[in-house]
Amino acid sequence: MLGNGGRLFVITSTKPTLLEAKQTVYAALETLELPNTFYRTDIAGRALAHIF
């Protein structure tokens, strides 16, 4: 995969709860080997804060 800044892809998950979906997505991200790449963890946290 070759990137030039910006978003490369989106990972989604369908689980019974939003928290389970979040955990599944982040677990999938941990398995990827993409040097010099980062992902945000604050967006899902803000969404969960509005719900709970």
Side-chain angles (χ1 to χ4, degrees):
M1 183 178 297
L2 179 63
N4 187 12
R7 292 169 183 86
L8 299 175
F9 55 89
V10 175
I11 298 175
T12 61
S13 174
T14 304
K15 293 290 183 180
T17 69
L18 187 56
L19 181 58
E20 288 175 285
K22 174 188 167 186
Q23 292 168 338
T24 301
V25 166
Y26 288 132
L29 285 167
E30 290 292 327
T31 67
L32 300 176
E33 295 182 23
L34 299 171
N36 304 315
T37 301
F38 68 93
Y39 54 90
R40 294 178 59 171
T41 59
D42 61 315
I43 297 171
R46 286 188 301 192
L48 285 170
H50 285 285
I51 294 171
F52 297 108

